[in-house]
Amino acid sequence: VDPDLTPLGYEQRDFLADFLATASENREPEFGITHLYCSAMHRALLTTQPVAQKLGLQPEVWVDLHEKGGMFLREGDTVNGYNGRSREQILEEFPNYTLPESITSNGWYNPELGMEPETHSMYRAIKVALALRERSADSNEVIGLVSHAGFLDILLKAIFDQLPSRPLTMRYYHYNTSVTRIDYHGRRPVLHYMNRVDHLAPDKRSG
């Protein structure tokens, strides 16, 4: 329900960290990330670790960045919901992460949701999109989000006013640890690129 990274995933996160932190010939200048947020899911927490270390940032967990569907597991004909890692469990493994008050000793996901409804995922994406837009108005912040392919798909749709939409009609695809860049001109979002994997050799890419 909340898996570790694969061996390839650990390699990918290190390549990502080096890419974001390093400026060299034929690469974009340093990204200049000032704030780093990640999902509360274990694989996102793990992916964020070397990125935060390389950039010298203290990561903050943003619960709404979790993957579509939430913390659920299909067991036979039943779909069960789970709470997610507790505050104590997260801080034991990631002591320098900042956690919101919504992550408690009981975890952070409402297990009564089971598999999160599509409309709820869209609601989260719209909340995140509105928060980013509000912060863009009077700020020069460069915000890094470590999230998940399914959620990033609907987040892009929320940012560009493409929600609500029917599931699976189209998808903004993301490889694992790919980079997507959106700039805000005032409150107007501009997509510079999506699903960039310069940091991964072809045999190191997965999705």
Side-chain angles (χ1 to χ4, degrees):
V1 67
D2 196 16
D4 194 349
L5 291 174
T6 64
L8 176 59
Y10 279 98
E11 291 186 76
Q12 290 169 334
R13 71 172 193 165
D14 292 337
F15 288 132
L16 173 67
D18 288 338
F19 176 67
L20 293 177
T22 305
S24 59
E25 190 176 358
N26 297 325
R27 284 190 177 181
E28 184 170 336
E30 267 189 285
F31 288 83
I33 294 172
T34 59
H35 295 77
L36 186 60
Y37 297 89
C38 67
S39 152
M41 287 180 158
H42 193 218
R43 57 195 183 276
L45 296 167
L46 288 166
T47 298
T48 303
Q49 255 183 332
V51 175
Q53 290 167 1
K54 289 279 187 176
L55 298 181
L57 296 173
Q58 182 173 0
E60 184 172 341
V61 175
W62 192 343
V63 171
D64 280 333
L65 298 180
H66 73 75
E67 181 59 297
K68 283 175 60 177
M71 296 292 295
F72 74 96
L73 195 63
R74 295 184 187 276
E75 298 171 291
D77 295 329
T78 305
V79 176
N80 292 317
Y82 293 84
N83 297 78
R85 290 173 183 254
S86 70
R87 188 177 196 88
E88 292 76 16
Q89 287 173 319
I90 293 174
L91 289 176
E92 182 179 3
E93 188 172 359
F94 307 98
N96 66 322
Y97 284 38
T98 300
L99 307 187
E101 292 182 1
S102 59
I103 301 179
T104 69
S105 295
N106 292 322
W108 54 268
Y109 184 72
N110 178 6
E112 294 181 5
L113 286 174
M115 180 178 178
E116 179 189 38
E118 186 79 19
T119 51
H120 196 279
S121 300
M122 292 182 189
Y123 168 69
R124 285 192 294 112
I126 291 168
K127 281 204 305 179
V128 173
L130 288 174
L132 293 174
R133 188 177 70 181
E134 287 302 312
R135 288 178 66 164
S136 75
D138 301 303
S139 172
N140 292 319
E141 296 174 323
V142 180
I143 296 173
L145 305 179
V146 181
S147 187
H148 309 267
F151 184 72
L152 290 172
D153 166 48
I154 56 172
L155 178 58
L156 282 173
K157 291 171 183 173
I159 288 171
F160 292 102
D161 294 326
Q162 296 171 343
L163 291 181
S165 66
R166 288 183 298 162
L168 305 180
T169 52
M170 62 85 67
R171 183 182 180 193
Y172 292 112
Y173 187 80
H174 289 80
Y175 285 112
N176 291 325
T177 72
S178 65
V179 179
T180 291
R181 176 179 167 180
I182 296 171
D183 285 2
Y184 279 87
H185 297 173
R187 297 188 177 212
R188 181 171 61 89
V190 177
L191 179 66
H192 281 256
Y193 49 76
M194 187 186 77
N195 197 33
R196 182 175 176 179
V197 286
D198 305 44
H199 56 292
L200 298 178
D203 64 338
K204 297 297 183 183
R205 297 173 187 175
S206 65

